[in-house]
């Protein structure tokens, strides 16, 4: 933003002249019309303060100078009027009050005066038609957004946890974990900066940058420590959004989760990490039936991983195809009930076994990114295990993933602005097939393919101002093959599936767009090797 040096004394003189001309005309009987000019000038000064051209102190000084000039002009006009001879009426009207002749000012002359005053002031402030201080008009179609979060995080590990080497040697639930026993404390930071773009009447867009490791799709947190050098700042959102009708939205690029998951207010999610970005195309239709009922639906295709298939690489592109539909009811007191059902079909994410020792044609069926929890198997059955230093193999996912997900939320606004929110979600991987897995991997796995979550929140739905507050808590259970472990909440048991436990939290507003939050998560394994983690967060949040 370029800086402008204003010559305040010139501007003051111009404003004083404006007010003086107003008052002279007022004495002449045109007070009401030219008061509009004065109001326009006052509004212009207020606009300049809002746009940052004038500081509030300078604007107050200008107004004070203008008011002084106005009073002086009134006194001079009154003195001049008193010195002029007064024309009296005929004797028959001797009892009538004295009259003053006034000069009529045509309407077009008043309009010209108003336009000249505005142009003169705009010229002094370097304003131009279609531009503001040399800045192009498109800047008005950009809305800058951002958020900063400072976090203290403590990870507490159970004394009964097995070692990382033991987790890595389990071929049917292969996990790469660096630490299972030593409690850890970290100071972490998250920074988001972006822009919402209004391109025209039917097309919008957006970009956003965020901190976080580039190879981690599920968290923007970055651990502090100046010896590590600079923080990584990467492009996290880049999309175009077309709205041909009020009820229809088409979005392409990289964008926020387009599906209703219900409990964004809690900062957690049963199957998706809250910070996960979706790549691809999605269409959302939200027709409104009446003032109380609205239907919502989403359908989209999302690339997960592009694979260059060839004679030496038999893996195929990994995709997610998804659809969701639901209905929302809004009461007259703004209470809401929202129900949705979604189907998520993950294509080509399961591993394919090698056909002979040394066969590497299916190595790319192993996912690029995992956390932990899913059932796995060795692609090369001749190898010792997945991480063996001699004759190593790679571990692929044993199950296909075709999810049926139900989500419901009741938002009671009886005590508005305090709300009571009840949330529930259920998921089942109907793509899990024991016999298909046995045929493909020679491994018979237990059917652990369901998950659910229940939560309650009391307080303000959003932290916007001082003294806003909320408290919340809930319980979650997500079995090992209920969802792809790579995209689940990265905080609950430090990410992944095969997890059960509860969470408690609270938030409190410290001022406009600033709030403090805290959350405690206690999570254990469901059926796998012992690995329990309790995590505690304290966050200082600010947004603009």
């Amino acid at each position: 933003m370029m800086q402008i040096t204003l010559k305040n004394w010139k501007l003051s003189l111009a404003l004083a002249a404006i007010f003086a001309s107003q008052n002279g005309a007022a004495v002449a009987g045109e007070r009401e019309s030219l008061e509009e000019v004065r109001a326009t000038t006052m509004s212009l000064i207020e606009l300049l303060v809002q746009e940052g051209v004038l500081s509030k102190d300078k604007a107050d000084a200008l107004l004070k100078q203008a008011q002084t000039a106005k009073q002086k002009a009134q006194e001079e006009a009154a003195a001049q009027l008193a010195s002029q001879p007064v024309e009296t009426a005929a004797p028959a009207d001797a009892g009538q009050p004295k009259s003053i002749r006034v000069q009529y000012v045509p309407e077009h002359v008043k309009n010209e005066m108003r336009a000249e005053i505005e142009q003169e002031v705009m010229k002094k402030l370097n304003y131009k038609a279609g531009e503001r201080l040399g800045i192009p008009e498109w800047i008005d179609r950009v809305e800058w957004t951002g958020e900063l979060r400072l976090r203290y995080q403590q990870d507490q590990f159970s004394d009964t946890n097995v070692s990382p080497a033991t987790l890595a040697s389990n071929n049917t639930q292969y996990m790469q974990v660096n630490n299972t026993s030593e409690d850890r404390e970290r100071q972490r930071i998250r920074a988001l900066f972006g822009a919402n773009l209004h391109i025209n009447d039917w097309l919008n867009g957006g970009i956003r940058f965020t901190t976080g490791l580039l190879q981690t799709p599920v968290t923007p947190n970055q651990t502090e420590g100046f010896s590590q050098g600079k923080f990584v700042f990467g492009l996290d959102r880049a999309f175009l959004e077309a709205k041909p009708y009020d009820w229809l939205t088409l979005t392409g690029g990289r964008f926020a989760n387009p599906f209703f998951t219900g409990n964004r207010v809690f900062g957690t999610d049963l199957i998706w990490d809250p910070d996960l970005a979706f790549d691809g195309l999605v269409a959302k239709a939200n027709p409104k039936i009446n003032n109380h009922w609205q239907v919502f639906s989403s359908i989209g295709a999302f690339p997960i991983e592009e694979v260059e298939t060839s004679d030496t690489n038999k893996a195929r592109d990994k995709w997610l195809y998804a659809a969701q539909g639901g209905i929302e009811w809004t009461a007259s007191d703004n209470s809401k009930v929202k129900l949705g059902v979604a189907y998520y079909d993950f294509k080509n994410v399961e591993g394919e076994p090698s056909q002979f020792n040394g066969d590497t044609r299916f190595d790319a069926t192993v996912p690029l990114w995992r956390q932990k929890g899913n059932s796995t198997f060795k692609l090369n059955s001749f190898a010792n295990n997945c991480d063996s230093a001699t004759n190593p193999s790679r571990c692929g996912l044993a199950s296909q993933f075709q999810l049926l997900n139900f989500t419901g939320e009741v938002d009671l606004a009886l005590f508005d602005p305090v709300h009571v929110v009840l949330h529930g979600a259920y998921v089942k991987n109907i793509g899990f097939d024991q016999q298909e897995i046995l045929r493909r991997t020679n491994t018979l796995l237990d059917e652990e393919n369901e998950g659910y979550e229940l939560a309650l929140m009391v307080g303000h739905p959003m932290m916007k101002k001082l003294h806003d507050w909320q408290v919340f808590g809930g319980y979650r259970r997500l079995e090992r093959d209920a969802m792809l472990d790579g995209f689940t909440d990265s905080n609950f048991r430090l990410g992944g599936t095969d997890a059960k436990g509860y969470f408690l939290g609270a938030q409190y507003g410290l001022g406009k767009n600033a709030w403090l939050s805290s959350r405690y998560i206690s999570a254990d394994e469901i059926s796998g090797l012992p690995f329990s983690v309790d995590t505690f967060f304290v966050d200082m949040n600010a947004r603009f």
Side-chain angles (χ1 to χ4, degrees), residues 352-368:
E352 289 292 337
S354 303
Q355 297 181 2
F356 52 85
N357 192 14
D359 184 9
T360 61
R361 294 175 301 167
F362 300 98
D363 282 5
T365 62
V366 176
L368 280 179

Side-chain angles (χ1 to χ4, degrees), residues 65 116 120 162 175 216 264 336 351 404 435 456 481 489:
Q65 293 174 16
E116 289 176 359
E120 181 65 22
V162 298
M175 300 185 188
T216 306
R264 300 287 174 86
K336 296 181 180 181
L404 193 60
Q435 296 305 312
L456 169 68
D481 293 316
D489 183 1

Side-chain angles (χ1 to χ4, degrees), residues 236 238 252-256 277-282 300-304 319-320:
D236 182 52
R254 168 167 284 203
F255 40 84
F278 278 62
D279 291 357
L281 298 170
V282 64
F302 312 95
I304 299 173
W319 282 80
L320 166 63

Side-chain angles (χ1 to χ4, degrees), residues 262-268 409 421 457 460-462 470 472 507:
N263 64 336
R264 300 287 174 86
V265 67
F266 305 105
T268 62
E409 190 167 277
V421 180
M457 187 282 291
H460 296 80
M462 292 286 291
Q470 66 173 231
F472 58 87
Q507 301 193 83

Side-chain angles (χ1 to χ4, degrees), residues 439-492:
R439 178 194 60 79
R440 187 163 46 84
T441 69
N442 293 320
T443 304
L444 183 63
L445 298 176
D446 293 335
E447 189 171 339
E448 298 183 23
N449 60 338
E450 296 181 85
Y452 66 87
E453 180 178 74
L454 298 172
L456 169 68
M457 187 282 291
V458 178
H460 296 80
M462 292 286 291
M463 298 293 101
K464 296 181 178 180
K465 61 183 185 301
L466 181 65
H467 303 315
D468 282 354
W469 63 273
Q470 66 173 231
V471 293
F472 58 87
Y475 180 83
R476 177 186 302 172
R477 178 186 174 94
L478 191 63
E479 295 177 348
R480 62 165 62 185
D481 293 316
M483 169 62 181
L484 278 173
D485 62 27
F487 304 132
T488 60
D489 183 1
S490 59
N491 294 321
F492 196 82

Side-chain angles (χ1 to χ4, degrees), residues 69-268:
K70 173 184 174 181
Q71 293 175 354
K72 183 177 180 181
Q74 287 177 334
E75 293 173 357
E76 293 177 353
Q80 182 179 3
L81 185 63
S83 63
Q84 292 179 352
V86 180
E87 188 176 304
T88 60
D93 298 328
Q96 300 297 325
K98 298 177 180 180
S99 60
I100 301 175
R101 290 186 180 276
V102 298
Q103 183 67 35
Y104 172 71
V105 180
E107 186 66 27
H108 72 277
V109 174
K110 291 187 289 184
N111 292 337
E112 290 177 358
M113 291 173 60
R114 182 182 295 109
E116 289 176 359
I117 292 171
E118 292 179 353
Q119 290 176 6
E120 181 65 22
V121 176
M122 297 282 270
K123 181 179 179 180
K124 289 180 180 296
L125 296 177
N126 195 26
Y127 268 65
K128 299 179 182 178
E131 295 185 359
R132 191 175 66 251
L133 298 177
I135 300 175
E137 58 84 23
W138 58 261
I139 202 70
D140 291 327
R141 296 185 277 111
V142 178
E143 177 190 10
W144 302 104
T145 63
E147 188 171 325
L148 291 173
R149 183 177 71 194
L150 305 180
R151 164 171 289 183
Y152 166 78
Q153 178 175 339
Q154 184 181 60
D155 303 328
Q156 299 175 339
F157 298 93
S158 171
D159 294 335
T160 62
N161 288 352
V162 298
S163 67
T166 302
L167 292 175
S169 64
N170 183 8
N171 294 326
T172 60
Q173 198 178 20
Y174 175 63
M175 300 185 188
Q176 284 188 313
V177 178
N178 295 325
N179 179 27
T180 62
S181 59
E182 297 297 327
D183 294 349
R184 187 180 187 187
E185 295 183 53
R186 285 178 285 176
Q187 284 69 48
R188 314 191 78 185
I189 190 170
R190 182 187 73 173
L192 308 175
F193 181 75
N196 297 321
L197 313 175
H198 179 67
I199 299 171
N200 56 43
D201 292 338
W202 60 271
L203 185 64
N204 295 313
I207 57 174
R208 191 179 79 173
F209 293 87
T210 182
T211 50
L213 302 179
L214 297 180
Q215 72 272 22
T216 306
V218 292
T219 177
N221 296 314
Q222 192 136 10
T223 301
E224 294 186 59
F226 57 82
S227 65
Q228 303 174 81
K230 306 297 187 296
F231 289 149
V232 178
F233 212 52
L235 186 64
D236 182 52
R237 301 281 193 272
F239 63 90
L240 289 175
E241 183 178 87
K243 201 173 184 66
Y245 305 100
D246 291 339
W247 53 270
L248 178 63
T249 304
L250 307 174
T251 308
R254 168 167 284 203
F255 40 84
N257 189 337
F259 300 104
F260 166 59
T261 59
N263 64 336
R264 300 287 174 86
V265 67
F266 305 105
T268 62

